[in-house]
Amino acid sequence: MVACGRRFGKTEIGKVLLLEHALHGKHCWWLAPTYQMASQVWRDLKALCAPTASIQINEVERRMDWSNGGMVAIRSTHAADHLRGAGLDYAVLDEAAFMSASVWPQVVRPMLLERRGGALFLSTPYGRNWFWELYQLGLDDSQTDWNAFHFTSYDNPYIVPEELDAIQQITPEVVWREEYLAEFVTDSGQVFRDIAGAVHANRDLRPVPGRRYIGGIDWGRDNDATVIVIIDAETREMVALDRFTQISWALQRGRLAALCQQWQPAVVWAEANSIGSVNIEALQAEGLPVRPFQTTAKSKAPLIEGLALAIERREIGLLADD
């Protein structure tokens, strides 16, 4: 069990140990939460092991076979139920904490059974989930089959410490401790910490002539609420909040138009996913300053982290709302 910070070098460790086993005729798997996350590893392994008379590379199966019987295959745990096959001698589980808890006991562990194989778990922590539970086995001296190691990003001698210090300045504390110090943070599931401390905006504000306001809207209807927020760009305080469910799209657009008429925002960022694009077109046709924003896994993460950091540092004022 290896809990390590970002850019520590865990992937290099995994590749070296995987190839070491394969060169000795062992059957090995590299497992990652998705094939995309393992794509660079596959490219690196191919570069290290160019096809020769003793090495055959199968692109379709993402598999290498040695003439001495050794084998390396890249597998995704996204559909873990499909990971069935012959026995393994060694498995590397990369970013293990982000895999389903069933991958190890139901899929990988049984495949190591008859060969008495081994496994290397590499990951940054993700709260105290199943990866943390197995990590505890490695800390227990009575569990002789297990061992645990901990490394922070600072432990990589190729990283200049000042670079990490600069990252800390722009990173929320919980993300910093988990992603770079490799700590098992108990409240990692709580993205926004100490929200109450950031609640200091005045509910009875009125628009100030010449002040710049920015709006945002997240669409919902039946189960999820639609939320509209107006923020003073100068004071960075929320000045208006409207939240509702179970009303028609036309009425939702009307409530946004009413807020816009009151606060005259310079722009309203609106989520364009799903039904959002239709509503955005209708609002733009009415002359409202609405711009689309496409929410994806890539676009969402920096926004969430930026907001969490602003809340921690009291750089944004929130309205009190249960």
Side-chain angles (χ1 to χ4, degrees):
M1 304 300 300
V2 183
C4 46
R6 296 281 295 274
R7 308 307 301 165
F8 163 69
K10 63 182 176 59
T11 302
E12 298 305 311
I13 295 172
K15 287 186 294 189
V16 168
L17 291 176
L18 200 72
L19 289 177
E20 183 179 278
H21 282 78
L23 289 168
H24 286 85
K26 305 298 185 180
H27 286 196
C28 310
W29 272 10
W30 181 284
L31 298 112
T34 65
Y35 274 122
Q36 183 178 3
M37 295 175 71
S39 59
Q40 185 60 52
V41 172
W42 176 238
R43 289 192 292 269
D44 291 346
L45 291 175
K46 288 188 295 181
L48 290 168
C49 308
T52 64
S54 61
I55 303 177
Q56 301 296 318
I57 297 179
N58 188 321
E59 282 284 357
V60 176
E61 295 185 9
R62 293 184 176 88
R63 171 174 170 152
M64 298 180 181
D65 290 280
W66 277 256
S67 58
N68 67 351
M71 180 272 288
V72 167
I74 305 295
R75 295 290 181 263
S76 165
T77 63
H78 179 68
D81 291 340
H82 298 163
L83 294 175
R84 296 289 189 272
L88 293 176
D89 295 292
Y90 198 69
V92 175
L93 291 83
D94 188 28
E95 296 296 0
F98 299 89
M99 297 177 184
S100 167
S102 65
V103 171
W104 168 246
Q106 297 182 23
V107 179
V108 181
R109 184 65 183 92
M111 296 181 70
L112 301 169
L113 192 59
E114 69 265 27
R115 295 173 179 260
R116 301 201 67 182
L120 175 67
F121 299 76
L122 301 166
S123 190
T124 52
Y126 189 55
R128 295 194 172 185
N129 61 0
W130 69 274
F131 179 74
W132 174 81
E133 293 173 356
L134 293 185
Y135 187 85
Q136 302 312 299
L137 296 179
L139 298 176
D140 188 344
D141 292 337
S142 66
Q143 299 290 335
T144 56
D145 286 342
W146 293 83
N147 209 338
F149 302 87
H150 173 265
F151 303 98
T152 73
S153 299
Y154 286 102
D155 291 317
N156 183 343
Y158 298 101
I159 294 179
V160 178
E162 288 77 13
E163 288 292 312
L164 291 171
D165 293 342
I167 291 176
Q168 183 181 7
Q169 298 301 313
I170 59 172
T171 305
E173 181 185 358
V174 65
V175 176
W176 171 255
R177 290 173 57 195
E178 196 167 60
E179 295 278 317
Y180 295 92
L181 301 185
E183 296 181 10
F184 291 95
V185 182
T186 56
D187 61 351
S188 63
Q190 182 181 345
V191 179
F192 304 108
R193 304 175 56 201
D194 193 18
I195 294 177
V199 176
H200 53 77
N202 188 342
R203 262 231 185 252
D204 299 321
L205 291 174
R206 295 290 183 269
V208 177
R211 193 69 63 83
R212 188 168 187 264
Y213 298 101
I214 303 295
I217 181 166
D218 182 18
W219 304 101
R221 185 168 181 177
D222 297 322
N223 298 319
D224 295 331
T226 291
V227 181
I228 308 170
V229 167
I230 306 293
I231 293 181
D232 186 320
E234 181 179 321
T235 64
R236 297 170 65 89
E237 291 191 345
M238 288 170 57
V239 294
L241 170 68
D242 197 6
R243 183 179 185 278
F244 42 84
T245 59
Q246 305 291 329
I247 66 174
S248 69
W249 296 120
L251 186 53
Q252 291 193 32
R253 294 194 298 269
R255 292 177 72 152
L256 175 59
L259 276 178
C260 288
Q261 183 176 9
Q262 179 183 0
W263 291 96
Q264 297 294 310
V267 61
V268 176
W269 290 102
E271 186 180 29
N273 303 45
S274 185
I275 194 63
S277 58
V278 177
N279 283 314
I280 290 169
E281 290 180 6
L283 291 165
Q284 290 174 337
E286 296 176 18
L288 296 179
V290 178
R291 297 184 193 174
F293 181 85
Q294 197 71 32
T295 304
T296 66
K298 184 176 182 179
S299 68
K300 190 173 184 178
L303 291 177
I304 295 297
E305 291 185 9
L307 178 57
L309 188 64
I311 291 174
E312 282 184 15
R313 296 181 174 180
R314 306 291 191 270
E315 294 174 348
I316 190 169
L318 307 179
L319 289 171
D321 184 87
D322 291 337

